[in-house]
Amino acid sequence: MGSFSSTVLILVSALLTTGALSARSYAADLAEAAQAAAKEAAEKAAMGMFPLKPYAGAKGFVSYAPNGDFYSPGTGRTSFIDYNIGWNAAAFGGVTAGDFVKLQLDTGYISNNVSSLSGVTDGSGSVAAAYILGGVVLSAPLSPLTKKVIPFAGISVGAAFPIIGEITGQIDVPGGAPGETESFTIKGNQAVVGALLARAGVTVAINPKLGATLEYGFFQTADFSLSTTTNISSSGRASTDMTSHLFGLGFEYHF
């Protein structure tokens, strides 16, 4: 009987000891979590309600430009320029404001070569633009259970700087002999114009600081002025815009 009592006492003592250790471990975990939460709250309080954390990255895109409109005072607006597939390279940086908002600055260069010109022969040249844009990007993880795949959408506005590689070709001579042509030129004539970029995509988190992005963008400028030979526009003046659908990949790093 005495042996049985001793065994029971040993078991009870062991259970109490194990429970005490578990309680202490649980309490330590709670204390560690509380300290981490307090530290995060203190950092947010020190930085304001929406702590600003910097990030930066780079992207490369394929640029698909629809047929370009061409406006001249004599003929009005017509679909004139057919583009080849082009490219766009961009760098960006900004700050996250809270968990879902990014304030972002983009700068880049977009270019499309001329494939052909409506109604003329041997049309060639290029239409390009450098740009700097600022805007807002909204993002959120797909579910509370994962932060690996993060959809985003945003819009930016700013300035574009058109760069027109001289556009040339041959046009029929009015009233001339059949097949008689003369050359023409179209050149850029405006240094800066307004531009807009709308975007949507997903960021895939590689690690807590580095992410890969898959993005679609719609880029458009306001009309910018051109100077032409009089056989294209009797006034020697015309205008066009730059519109492009962008499809590409990039990386962003959070500091």
Side-chain angles (χ1 to χ4, degrees):
M1 188 71 178
S3 175
F4 177 76
S5 298
S6 297
T7 302
V8 171
L9 288 173
I10 291 170
L11 290 173
V12 170
S13 177
L15 288 171
L16 290 174
T17 301
T18 302
L21 290 173
S22 298
R24 281 197 293 270
S25 176
Y26 182 66
D29 290 342
L30 287 178
E32 185 178 353
Q35 288 176 352
K39 181 179 178 181
E40 183 178 356
E43 289 177 351
K44 288 186 176 182
M47 301 177 72
M49 184 177 294
F50 300 109
L52 302 180
K53 299 179 181 179
Y55 66 94
K59 299 177 183 180
F61 294 89
V62 172
S63 170
Y64 167 71
N67 290 349
D69 287 346
F70 185 83
Y71 174 82
S72 65
T75 59
R77 185 174 293 272
T78 58
S79 179
F80 183 59
I81 307 173
D82 185 25
Y83 293 103
N84 290 318
I85 297 295
W87 58 275
N88 170 227
F92 62 93
V95 292
T96 59
D99 295 327
F100 307 112
V101 180
K102 296 178 179 178
L103 306 178
Q104 185 165 306
L105 186 69
D106 292 84
T107 183
Y109 186 88
I110 182 170
S111 177
N112 285 83
N113 287 333
V114 173
S115 172
S116 62
L117 300 173
S118 177
V120 305
T121 58
D122 300 327
S124 64
S126 65
V127 177
Y131 60 84
I132 182 166
L133 309 169
V136 176
V137 179
L138 304 179
S139 63
L142 285 175
S143 78
L145 300 178
T146 176
K147 294 185 178 180
K148 295 292 187 182
V149 180
I150 306 170
F152 63 84
I155 189 165
S156 299
V157 296
F161 309 91
I163 303 166
I164 308 301
E166 186 174 80
I167 298 172
T168 62
Q170 298 290 321
I171 191 170
D172 292 340
V173 176
E180 184 181 0
T181 63
E182 60 184 355
S183 62
F184 68 86
T185 61
I186 302 172
K187 299 179 180 180
N189 194 33
Q190 188 168 347
V192 62
V193 68
L196 172 147
L197 174 63
R199 76 185 91 219
V202 294
T203 300
V204 179
I206 298 172
N207 59 45
K209 290 185 175 292
L210 182 66
T213 61
L214 176 64
E215 182 173 328
Y216 162 76
F218 175 77
F219 177 85
Q220 185 168 31
T221 71
D223 281 3
F224 47 88
S225 62
L226 306 168
S227 60
T228 75
T229 50
T230 55
N231 52 3
I232 287 291
S233 172
S234 58
S235 66
R237 295 181 294 109
S239 64
T240 189
D241 65 0
M242 189 173 188
T243 301
S244 186
H245 300 279
L246 307 173
F247 305 88
L249 299 168
F251 292 92
E252 64 179 49
Y253 183 82
H254 293 253
F255 298 95

